[in-house]
Amino acid sequence: MAPLAPPRPRTAPEAARPAPVRPAAPATPPVRPVEPVRPAQPAPAPEADAPIGAVQPAKPVVRRPVVRPVDADEAPDGPPCPACGTPNLPGRRFCRRCAEPLQAKEEAEPLPWWRTVWPFRRRVRVRSGRALRRILLVLAVVGLLFLGFLFLPAGRVLFEDVRDKLGGTAEISPAGVSASGSAPGHPAGAAIDGLTNKYWSAPTLGSSLTCTFATPFRLVGVVVHTGASKEPEEFRREPRPIRAELVVETADGTVHEKKLTFNDKPGPQEVRTGISDVVSVRLVLREAAGQDGGRPIAVGEVEFFKRT
């Protein structure tokens, strides 16, 4: 039997040593697979006949206001602003703080008295009634000139002539008729009876036919039918006047003379007169056609027309 080994002496237990700390490995993100880069393919060319679609317009961009920098040496020693009282340089037109105009508006001069009466008075609104006032002023001036023109003789004649042309006419019958001479069977009354187959027969040249009227009137015109008839054969058979003189007397005694020339053919021949306040008309024969052997001169009808 083998001998036993002697026992070892007891020693104090060793203290536990701390285990070494290893640094932790940094966390790495997961690696994604890289996709292969494909070459960009060109966009397909538009077809020639393909319609072009609407394009939306771009949005407008408002420009920002540019602020003018104030000079550092600008001394506020000018006149104060009437709105905020901020002093400004003498050359400025608007306040540098509130942008109010620095120059005061000039007050209008007081209107004359006639401008305060309608329609010349000033209105509250700008240019209100100005055109109307000008039109009324022009009309007033034209009216005054027209009234002044009427007081002149030439203006009165022109005014009455315009009224004759614009107004109507009506036949007026004489109140009485007389002649300086007449052939038997053809008295003076045959010239105003309204019939052309009866006539006044004047014995010689210089004979006259006088017609009187009851009340004065405006004589617009006279219509004379020369010859014995309106039929050509009977017209050529008798002598007829081709030149005469019309003597018109007015209510104030004024006498107007007018020379007449007739066409040597049957039918009415109009003579415009335009004389106011007529009371009598005398027709004097001066020349005749077809007067052989001293035969009497035939005047078929004489008509007078007034203004209505």
Side-chain angles (χ1 to χ4, degrees):
M1 193 175 183
L4 295 175
R8 294 181 178 180
R10 296 183 179 180
T11 58
E14 296 180 358
R17 296 181 180 178
V21 179
R22 296 182 179 180
T28 56
V31 180
R32 296 181 181 179
V34 179
E35 297 181 357
V37 179
R38 299 179 181 179
Q41 298 181 359
E47 299 181 2
D49 298 336
I52 300 176
V55 179
Q56 185 177 3
K59 295 183 179 179
V61 178
V62 181
R63 298 182 59 183
R64 299 184 61 184
V66 178
V67 180
R68 185 181 66 86
V70 180
D71 297 337
D73 58 346
E74 182 177 355
D77 56 354
C81 173
C84 63
T86 303
N88 295 268
L89 292 178
R92 296 185 64 91
R93 299 179 57 186
F94 299 94
C95 178
R96 61 190 180 91
R97 180 178 181 183
C98 62
E100 287 291 330
L102 299 177
Q103 298 178 359
K105 297 182 179 179
E106 298 181 358
E107 297 183 359
E109 298 181 358
L111 298 177
W113 66 269
W114 58 270
R115 287 291 302 275
T116 60
V117 181
W118 190 92
F120 303 104
R121 62 187 178 187
R122 178 176 293 179
R123 306 301 179 102
V124 177
R125 294 176 298 175
V126 179
R127 300 183 62 86
S128 176
R130 184 175 300 176
L132 177 61
R133 292 195 299 271
R134 290 180 178 177
I135 293 175
L136 293 178
L137 182 60
V138 171
L139 293 178
V141 173
V142 172
L144 292 176
L145 294 177
F146 181 72
L147 293 177
F149 183 70
L150 290 181
F151 284 103
L152 301 176
R156 184 68 181 178
V157 172
L158 180 61
F159 176 72
E160 294 295 341
D161 184 64
V162 172
R163 290 187 60 189
D164 292 343
K165 294 179 180 179
L166 298 180
T169 58
E171 185 177 357
I172 181 173
S173 300
V177 60
S178 62
S180 60
S182 59
H186 302 282
I192 60 171
D193 59 355
L195 303 175
T196 57
N197 57 354
K198 295 182 180 182
Y199 58 92
W200 165 59
S201 184
T204 59
L205 292 176
S207 300
S208 62
L209 178 72
T210 305
C211 300
T212 58
F213 301 88
T215 57
F217 69 101
R218 171 75 178 180
L219 181 62
V220 177
V222 179
V223 176
V224 180
H225 297 258
T226 60
S229 175
K230 62 180 181 179
E231 300 297 333
E233 295 181 359
E234 297 182 8
F235 177 81
R236 298 288 180 182
R237 190 178 303 167
E238 298 293 335
R240 58 273 176 197
I242 58 175
R243 192 168 60 86
E245 185 177 351
L246 196 67
V247 181
V248 181
E249 185 179 356
T250 60
D252 58 356
T254 305
V255 177
H256 302 268
E257 297 182 358
K258 185 177 182 63
K259 297 184 181 300
L260 308 179
T261 301
F262 302 115
N263 296 324
D264 191 15
K265 62 180 182 180
Q269 302 190 42
E270 182 180 357
V271 179
R272 298 194 63 86
T273 54
I275 304 174
S276 301
D277 300 330
V278 174
V279 293
S280 68
V281 179
R282 185 169 74 253
L283 180 66
V284 183
L285 306 182
R286 297 302 184 187
E287 187 178 350
Q291 189 184 20
D292 299 332
R295 292 187 300 165
I297 306 168
V299 178
E301 191 72 20
V302 181
E303 301 173 349
F304 304 94
F305 291 88
K306 67 178 180 178
R307 185 177 64 195
T308 57

